[in-house]
Amino acid sequence: MRPSTSPVRALLGKRDFYAGGLMVLLGLGIALKGSSYRAGTLMHMGPGFLPTALGVLLVFLGIAIAAAGLSAEGDEDQGVLPEQPQWWAWFCILMSPICFIMFGHYFGMALATFSCVFIAALGDKNATWLGTVILATVVTVFGVGLFSYFLQVPMPILTWRGAL
Amino acid sequence: MIGTALTDLWYGFGVALEPHNLMFCFIGVLVGNMVGVLPGMGPLATISILLPLTFGMKPVAAILMLGGVMYGAQYGGAICSILLNLPCHPPHAVTCLDGFPMTKQGRGGVALGLTVFASFVGASWGITEMIFLSPLLVRAALQFGPAEVCSLMLLGLLAGSTLARGSPIKGVAMTVLGLFLGSVGTDLETGSERYTLGMTELDDGIELIALALGLFGIAEFMNSVNQVAPINTKYTNVTFKDMRPTKADMKRAFFPMWRGTIIGSLCALIPGTGPTIASFVAYATEKKISRHPEKFGTGLIEGVVCPEAATHSSVQGDFIPTMSLGIPGDAVMALLLGALMIQGIVPGPQLISQHPDIFWGLVASFWIGNIMLVLLNVPLIGIWVKMLAIPYKFLYPSAMFFVCIGVYAANNDFFQVGEVAAIGLFGYVLLRLGFHPAPILLGFVLGPRFEENFRRAMLIARGDMLVFIERPISAFFVGMCVLLIGSQIYLRLKGAKAAELNVDDDAPIAAPAEPKIPVQLANQRVPVTPAE
């Protein structure tokens, strides 16, 4: 047993509190936006009927999740963040598709592939520049070959679209 | 009836043996096996990555290949759990318990050999079940009106979300979210825009591939990056010669294998209970009826073959509701169904009669694929074992490329690439909050059809909600739903005793929590309500 703290702090430390809260917020958003669409009647349902109902349901589920988290004893006090947050790696992984979009739009598939693999690989804590470049090059050669020549994805391999 | 089934099966073999179908089936099982072996990549991510590649294919070839990935991965996963003690895929978590001790005793090869054999038996049984049960189910399902379809879907969704991993109520929340995501885009009946936030790219709804790759690709990579422990390849020198079991081993494995098969095939019939639950139940049963239960966990062959046979028979059996009713039991099946829908094929009971080539070709390809897998796994075991050593730091960046190009190729539009990144981030937040995203996909795929049938049922019944309990078949499904929810609440209230229902003690749950497991498995707690 951990020493008892104030109930509010106990609540804020619970993962399920945030989980339930997120669902309530999502549900509220869905239901509010949904109420701007025509709901219709049960017999002739409009486009807003089902989504609004789902949003309301989600609000209730969120409350239930938070309540269940509150009642459960301390065995589930897993933090929201993992023990070793990998901010850099997460950033790299999320930047990878963004790079793919930017480079793909301006420079074509080859550079898009290279940049996408390169930045994702940098996220590994043991990444070296050389290893990353080699991996990105190999994937680029293979990927462009597969998707551009074999599967005919209509994206130029190399191009220049100038500043936009 | 048996006669017609066999004739249809014969026709199916004709389809599946067409050279190019055979080739794609082979590619599917090969990729599946490979992915199953690689730690840190799941069948869901792989099927979503391969999905865009199938757009240019014929529907039969596409579904044969994607199906092959799914059951191929199960074969590969066993190698990973037995030799490395890494349950790469949740169904194989219990295989580690006795498989890895066998490896330490130098009998890993025997365990693998018998696993391949047991898997084949389990799969064959599952396929047989599919051949004979599907037409029966279809005959019943063709009588269903919109009200029945609706309540059946409700049952499928509820079962899929509450019986799967983690907290049942969180699972239901994920399903509701999935249903909502399915309604984004143009409303089919009135043509009005819903939740597009002014983005015309969202008019056609959220892209299935972007959703799947975001949730099971990017979110998983974020979860496992820098968390996958380096692999200990000390025990991985297995050759073909080591795989031959002794007569005594075969004798001991025989009955557990059949028990596992039967348990797996029964689990497949209950909607929502996939291979993971089947393998846990099989292990627990085997332990319970064994004359020396205390020896389980020290390297008993029974503890390996029984759950593996159960996994495989349930994997094949899971195709029954998916193909004959159009109701997928888990996220992988939802993805396969989504692949069919992208090809313009409407899932449901009419699928078998309208597209017999797909259904019977798929059934026949299961057998062909399973034989291929036995051939691939037994003599080539050395190659698969070498693949275990591929580090994650090469794997996930390459996979990121496949994710990006895959969603791009779906519509040749960069918007979807941004969509996948956003969904990936959202999926990771959900993972960290203890949600399991698999039911989202289930809800997403069924959502539009659920809404359509719900509206139709209400129109026919003149807005009377009682129609769902007035029609007997529908009432039965609704009753099952109530029973399901009631039992969940009951188990929750009973607390600690709940675990007894599925797993007789903590061992199978506790064991996969050993240190070497990639992090994504840590929060995939398996059966119903975990022990408190």
Side-chain angles (χ1 to χ4, degrees):
Chain A
M1 284 293 277
R2 285 166 307 149
S4 57
T5 45
S6 77
V8 176
R9 180 171 288 178
L11 189 67
L12 289 178
K14 282 251 162 67
R15 180 168 72 156
D16 280 356
F17 172 73
Y18 298 99
L22 180 67
M23 289 303 119
V24 170
L25 284 181
L26 275 174
L28 276 179
I30 294 168
L32 286 180
K33 182 90 179 109
S35 61
S36 69
Y37 306 120
R38 196 171 54 79
T41 59
L42 256 181
M43 188 174 158
H44 289 285
M45 270 179 252
F49 189 92
L50 194 81
T52 313
L54 289 174
V56 173
L57 187 59
L58 205 54
V59 172
F60 284 117
L61 285 169
I63 294 171
I65 290 170
L70 193 66
S71 67
E73 284 303 316
D75 62 341
E76 273 230 50
D77 58 350
Q78 220 180 331
V80 176
L81 283 173
E83 281 152 36
Q84 303 149 323
Q86 305 286 337
W87 294 108
W88 171 241
W90 294 337
F91 174 74
C92 287
I93 289 180
L94 287 178
M95 277 313 283
S96 168
I98 309 293
C99 279
F100 186 85
I101 298 173
M102 305 299 284
F103 282 80
H105 184 79
Y106 291 114
F107 305 109
M109 192 197 276
L111 279 174
T113 309
F114 186 87
S115 63
C116 153
V117 178
F118 184 81
I119 188 138
L122 280 184
D124 190 86
K125 61 186 171 200
N126 299 322
T128 58
W129 290 102
L130 185 67
T132 312
V133 169
I134 292 174
L135 177 70
T137 315
V138 170
V139 176
T140 306
V141 171
F142 173 77
V144 170
L146 178 66
F147 284 92
S148 202
Y149 291 104
F150 187 62
L151 293 167
Q152 315 249 313
V153 172
M155 184 169 164
I157 298 176
L158 272 177
T159 183
W160 167 245
R161 264 191 229 185
L164 215 128
Chain B
M1 191 203 96
I2 293 175
T4 45
L6 290 180
T7 324
D8 290 339
L9 186 63
W10 185 247
Y11 163 72
F13 272 108
V15 175
L17 285 171
E18 277 169 33
H20 94 286
N21 285 343
L22 200 62
M23 183 183 83
F24 282 116
C25 178
F26 178 72
I27 294 176
V29 294
L30 186 73
V31 172
N33 201 341
M34 206 156 79
V35 170
V37 175
L38 290 173
M41 289 279 284
L44 266 173
T46 317
I47 294 179
S48 357
I49 285 174
L50 287 180
L51 201 53
L53 307 187
T54 63
F55 290 165
M57 292 185 196
K58 289 200 182 103
V60 181
I63 193 80
L64 293 198
M65 182 169 106
L66 296 175
V69 173
M70 148 114 202
Y71 56 84
Q74 307 299 333
Y75 276 84
I79 301 181
C80 201
S81 11
I82 292 176
L83 293 183
L84 294 181
N85 202 19
L86 275 177
C88 309
H89 311 309
H92 302 290
V94 282
T95 313
C96 294
L97 295 179
D98 275 289
F100 190 61
M102 282 188 79
T103 302
K104 282 206 243 171
Q105 294 158 15
R107 302 194 335 121
V110 178
L112 281 177
L114 280 171
T115 299
V116 172
F117 184 63
S119 309
F120 184 72
V121 170
S124 302
W125 181 267
I127 300 165
T128 317
E129 196 182 38
M130 186 171 173
I131 293 170
F132 292 111
L133 276 182
S134 301
L136 284 181
L137 266 182
V138 165
R139 206 175 301 161
L142 284 174
Q143 317 290 327
F144 290 1
E148 281 83 9
V149 173
C150 215
S151 41
L152 179 63
M153 279 188 192
L154 196 67
L155 177 63
L157 286 170
L158 261 179
S161 54
T162 54
L163 297 179
R165 306 189 270 262
S167 144
I169 186 164
K170 285 183 170 176
V172 175
M174 287 298 98
T175 310
V176 172
L177 194 60
L179 283 171
F180 159 72
L181 290 176
S183 76
V184 172
T186 311
D187 175 29
L188 287 179
E189 269 175 54
T190 56
S192 57
E193 307 295 322
R194 296 193 290 192
Y195 300 96
T196 54
L197 307 174
M199 289 182 259
T200 44
E201 287 91 346
L202 281 179
D203 284 358
D204 290 333
I206 293 171
E207 190 69 43
L208 171 74
I209 299 167
L211 187 72
L213 282 173
L215 294 178
F216 308 114
I218 294 183
E220 280 300 338
F221 300 148
M222 287 176 78
N223 203 10
S224 346
V225 67
N226 289 343
Q227 308 275 352
V228 180
I231 281 153
N232 176 7
T233 49
K234 194 170 139 198
Y235 299 112
T236 52
N237 289 319
V238 175
T239 57
F240 178 37
K241 244 165 113 188
D242 302 330
M243 292 181 75
R244 264 181 303 183
T246 62
K247 258 206 174 119
D249 281 329
M250 297 227 282
K251 224 173 163 183
R252 275 176 55 193
F254 186 77
F255 286 109
M257 185 175 83
W258 280 105
R259 282 194 285 268
T261 302
I262 304 293
I263 291 170
S265 62
L266 289 179
C267 282
L269 293 182
I270 307 169
T273 53
T276 310
I277 290 179
S279 69
F280 274 78
V281 173
Y283 187 85
T285 316
E286 195 57 37
K287 195 171 171 182
K288 204 164 247 172
I289 63 171
S290 168
R291 260 171 289 165
H292 33 74
E294 72 287 349
K295 281 195 187 162
F296 273 79
T298 59
L300 280 190
I301 190 72
E302 292 95 315
V304 177
V305 291
C306 185
E308 281 299 316
T311 307
H312 286 258
S313 98
S314 137
V315 162
Q316 304 295 359
D318 269 352
F319 279 92
I320 299 173
T322 314
M323 301 308 284
S324 57
L325 303 178
I327 312 276
D330 59 14
V332 180
M333 289 298 143
L335 205 52
L336 287 180
L337 215 56
L340 278 181
M341 281 149 82
I342 290 172
Q343 296 274 2
I345 289 162
V346 185
Q350 74 289 350
L351 182 124
I352 298 183
S353 51
Q354 280 177 3
H355 301 279
D357 52 337
I358 291 182
F359 181 80
W360 293 106
L362 186 65
V363 171
S365 87
F366 286 161
W367 246 318
I368 297 169
N370 271 291
I371 293 172
M372 282 178 186
L373 282 163
V374 171
L375 295 178
L376 276 175
N377 274 286
V378 176
L380 299 179
I381 188 76
I383 297 175
W384 301 118
V385 168
K386 291 252 157 40
M387 289 198 61
L388 290 172
I390 296 182
Y392 194 66
K393 66 172 177 179
F394 296 149
L395 221 74
Y396 83 87
S398 322
M400 278 305 301
F401 160 67
F402 279 96
V403 167
C404 293
I405 191 88
V407 282
Y408 175 80
N411 281 345
N412 299 320
D413 186 357
F414 283 115
F415 179 83
Q416 262 84 22
V417 186
E419 197 176 301
V420 79
I423 294 173
L425 177 63
F426 180 61
Y428 183 61
V429 172
L430 289 178
L431 269 180
R432 285 311 313 166
L433 288 173
F435 290 102
H436 217 283
I440 296 183
L441 202 67
L442 212 59
F444 180 77
V445 169
L446 282 182
R449 269 166 66 218
F450 179 75
E451 186 175 13
E452 189 191 333
N453 279 293
F454 187 53
R455 279 179 168 176
R456 208 178 289 161
M458 284 294 94
L459 192 65
I460 295 171
R462 306 193 160 272
D464 184 9
M465 284 288 258
L466 285 176
V467 67
F468 291 112
I469 46 174
E470 273 164 2
R471 298 179 59 127
I473 304 175
S474 172
F476 172 72
F477 292 137
V478 172
M480 295 275 285
C481 291
V482 173
L483 208 68
L484 199 65
I485 298 171
S487 65
Q488 289 290 343
I489 295 172
Y490 177 71
L491 288 180
R492 171 105 203 155
L493 293 178
K494 288 239 325 193
K497 284 188 182 167
E500 240 167 63
L501 197 99
N502 279 293
V503 184
D504 63 345
D505 62 1
D506 288 348
I509 298 179
E514 276 170 19
K516 283 184 202 161
I517 292 136
V519 163
Q520 76 258 38
L521 288 158
N523 49 12
Q524 295 179 351
R525 272 176 310 152
V526 189
V528 189
T529 324
E532 303 262 339

